[in-house]
């Protein structure tokens, strides 16, 4: 792995290009274009508008809200596009809403600290309406190509109503196309022999079809743990294969924990410990890969399923600094996307000057060496994780974006631990911010999915 790392860095060093992008301090770019109208793209739209930049958002679907909109379609949507949302019924956020709220746009008082997915979707639509963003959002515009055309960007998209392709010029690009759409599938022996159903959690919609069935869940990330709580009482047997060390709750008498899978057979699965279980349905909760099929080589970014590089401040395309990425960082709260969106808008508006390309590259390499010293690998290059509060401070000192208070990082850290200690009950608490550094938390179990925001 260390070799891959070094050669990758070396290749990168050989490929420095001369920057021809036009970014002038004090002068906004003529036109910015945003790809995607989920949480990140809506944040970018709000700040571009606030900073006085002319902009258009291209959104593939007929809707804003991205992965927070529940869609009953599986695989492809009503317009034949790959289904972008991974939302399912009865979802509640796994992080307190305070870490997810846009800057200075809190949920109404009385909203549970862990609102339902439906409530979060309503919040996003409310935000779009409140800041009057819809007028600059072009729906049903599926971006298929972004290329550098010498002095600005050519963006090509397909209108899903006419199926016609259009190319438009943009001086600045914000990529906000999401990171949880393309399933990551493990390769497991014998999978083609298995006669039951296999899906990825991306395609999971609701627990009801699994009533009285023998279900195997693979993985214990956010989706795997969540689906375990949703399915344990309705299935006849829930087999959960994973290797997470955590305080496993008493899900139900029919819940069985298993180690990693060894192989599939026609009617079940053999695990690494040699045991066998008969299985009807398998749900792979094995996460997602990055996916940017529209980024042409001329963008200068190296983009794989696992990472995007080289990005300055985890946001700016160093080879073409008129392109930013919002929502690609790992190990962060949603508020980071809000900060990256404001940072992008401030850059497009000419509010601050980036270091020169060589300096940005040097800083990026310092980040890479720092990761390497911590035993991390190139796949972690988009990880912010425990550096999050410093990161917020850095964006603020460089570009003057509103400083996210340290208390959000405190809440994030507490929640991450608490969730693994008390999986079945951690959402039955409410949080309140006392000041920039402190919060309080108390037990407040509710029935159902209350949401004070009306659907709009
Ligand atoms: C099931 C699930 C639950 C989650 N729960 C939490 C949680 O509780 N707490 C938390 O902090 N985070 C959670 N997340 C993380 C979530 O990704 C963020 O909350 C946030 O929604 C990311 O927003 P985004 O705008 O970056 O991406 P998305 O919401 O994915 O939006 C991307 C948008 O871009 C559009 N798009 C994509 N490709 C193109 C294209 N080529 N052309 C035009 N438009 C395009 C899509 O249609 C979509 O509207 C969850 C994620 C998932 C999948
Ligand atoms: C960019 O688009 C314009 C207008 O459609 C076209 O004339 C030009 O050739 C394109 N440039 C590239 C590099 O594709
Ligand atoms: C639009 O572009 C896509 C490729 O991205 C192509 O498959 C399709 O045929 C084009 N549509 C038209 C009407 O030319
Ligand atoms: C399953 O149902 C029991 C009885 O209603 C309940 O106490 C328990 O919390 C449920 N388990 C989960 C994981 O929801
Ligand atoms: C914050 O900025 C300092 C100084 O430029 C830099 O060394 C550090 O790596 C940055 N940290 C993060 C998380 O951005």
């Amino acid at each position: 792995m260390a070799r891959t790392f070094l050669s990758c860095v070396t290749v990168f060093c050989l490929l420095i290009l001369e920057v021809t992008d036009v970014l002038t301090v004090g002068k906004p770019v003529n036109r910015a274009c945003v790809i995607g109208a989920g949480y990140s793209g809506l944040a970018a739209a709000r700040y571009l508008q606030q900073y006085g930049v002319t902009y258009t958002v291209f959104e593939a679907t007929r809707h804003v809200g991205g992965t927070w909109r529940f869609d009953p379609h599986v695989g492809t949507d009503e317009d034949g596009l790959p289904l972008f949302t991974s939302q399912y019924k009865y979802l509640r956020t796994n992080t307190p809403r305070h870490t997810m709220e846009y800057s200075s746009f809190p949920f109404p008082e009385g909203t549970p600290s862990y609102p339902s997915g439906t409530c979060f979707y309503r919040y996003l639509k409310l935000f779009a309406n409140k800041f009057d963003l819809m007028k600059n959002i072009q729906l049903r515009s599926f971006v298929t190509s972004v290329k550098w055309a010498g002095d600005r960007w050519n963006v090509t998209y397909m209108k899903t109503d006419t199926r016609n392709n259009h190319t438009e010029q943009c001086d600045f690009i914000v990529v906000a196309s999401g990171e949880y759409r393309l399933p990551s599938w493990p390769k497991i022996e014998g999978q083609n022999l298995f006669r039951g159903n296999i899906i990825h959690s991306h395609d999971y919609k609701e627990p009801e079809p699994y009533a009285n069935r023998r279900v195997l869940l693979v993985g214990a990330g956010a989706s795997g743990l969540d689906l375990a709580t949703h399915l344990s009482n309705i299935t006849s047997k829930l087999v959960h294969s994973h290797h997470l060390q955590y305080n496993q709750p008493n899900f139900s008498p029919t819940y069985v924990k298993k180690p990693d899978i060894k192989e599939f057979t026609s009617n079940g699965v053999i695990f690494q410990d040699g045991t066998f279980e008969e299985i009807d349905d398998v749900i792979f909760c094995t996460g997602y890969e990055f996916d940017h099929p529209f980024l042409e080589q001329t963008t200068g970014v190296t983009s794989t399923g696992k990472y995007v590089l080289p990005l300055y401040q985890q946001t700016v395309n160093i080879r073409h600094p008129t392109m930013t990425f919002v929502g690609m960082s790992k190990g962060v709260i949603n508020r980071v996307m809000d900060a990256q969106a404001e940072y992008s808008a401030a850059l497009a508006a000419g509010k601050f000057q980036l270091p020169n390309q060589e300096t940005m590259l040097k800083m990026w390499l310092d980040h890479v060496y720092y990761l390497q010293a911590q035993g991390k690998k190139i796949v972690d290059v988009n990880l912010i994780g425990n550096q999050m509060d410093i990161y917020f401070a850095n964006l603020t000192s460089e570009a003057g974006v509103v400083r996210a208070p340290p208390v959000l990082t405190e809440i994030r850290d507490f929640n991450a631990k608490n969730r693994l200690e008390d999986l079945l009950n951690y959402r039955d608490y409410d949080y309140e911010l006392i000041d920039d550094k402190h919060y309080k938390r108390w037990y407040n179990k509710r029935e159902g999915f209350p949401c004070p925001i009306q659907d709009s």
Side-chain angles (χ1 to χ4, degrees), residues 312-314 363 366-367 370 383-384 386-395 397:
Y312 170 70
Q313 292 283 36
Q314 297 285 4
M363 290 171 78
D366 284 347
H367 167 67
Y370 170 82
L383 177 73
I384 296 176
N386 65 13
Q387 299 291 296
M388 188 171 76
D389 190 60
I390 302 168
Y391 179 69
F392 278 131
N394 282 2
L395 293 187
S397 72

Side-chain angles (χ1 to χ4, degrees), residues 198-351:
I198 301 184
I199 66 163
H200 186 276
S201 58
H202 171 65
D203 295 326
Y204 169 85
K205 302 289 173 183
E206 56 192 1
E208 289 81 4
Y210 298 97
N212 304 315
R213 295 180 66 87
R214 296 164 300 182
V215 176
L216 168 66
L217 284 184
V218 183
S223 314
L225 291 180
D226 213 28
L227 293 205
T229 68
H230 288 217
L231 294 170
S232 63
N233 270 347
I234 195 168
T235 48
S236 62
K237 188 171 208 176
L238 185 65
V239 180
H240 195 180
S241 164
H242 72 82
H243 46 250
L244 176 73
Q245 300 284 336
Y246 80 117
N247 180 27
Q248 185 194 293
N250 293 320
F251 283 110
S252 79
T254 54
Y255 175 95
V256 188
K257 151 88 176 75
K258 288 285 175 185
D260 290 358
I261 299 176
K262 182 160 173 283
E263 58 183 301
F264 279 95
T265 67
S266 63
N267 64 341
V269 171
I270 301 171
F271 298 92
Q272 292 293 352
D273 61 1
T275 57
F276 170 78
E277 291 285 343
E278 266 187 56
I279 298 292
D280 302 311
D281 308 300
V282 178
I283 308 177
F284 277 116
C285 304
T286 42
Y288 294 89
E289 306 221 326
F290 288 165
D291 190 32
H292 297 106
F294 50 84
L295 293 180
E296 307 269 347
Q297 210 170 357
T298 54
T299 60
V301 287
T302 301
S303 137
T304 77
K306 304 231 180 292
Y307 55 81
V308 173
L309 62 82
L311 303 181
Y312 170 70
Q313 292 283 36
Q314 297 285 4
T315 306
V316 180
N317 172 359
I318 296 177
R319 292 203 185 107
H320 278 296
T322 50
M323 170 180 278
T324 64
F325 289 78
V326 176
M328 295 305 300
S329 302
K330 296 179 191 168
V332 297
I333 59 178
N334 273 28
R335 181 61 185 266
V336 162
M337 304 168 199
D338 181 272
Q340 292 176 335
E342 185 173 8
Y343 181 91
S344 299
L347 178 61
K351 294 287 180 202

Side-chain angles (χ1 to χ4, degrees), residues 51 67 105 166 180 187 207 238 256 290 307 312 339 358 399:
Y51 282 89
T67 206
F105 191 74
H166 304 265
Y180 299 114
K187 283 199 191 70
L238 185 65
V256 188
F290 288 165
Y307 55 81
Y312 170 70
E358 212 181 315

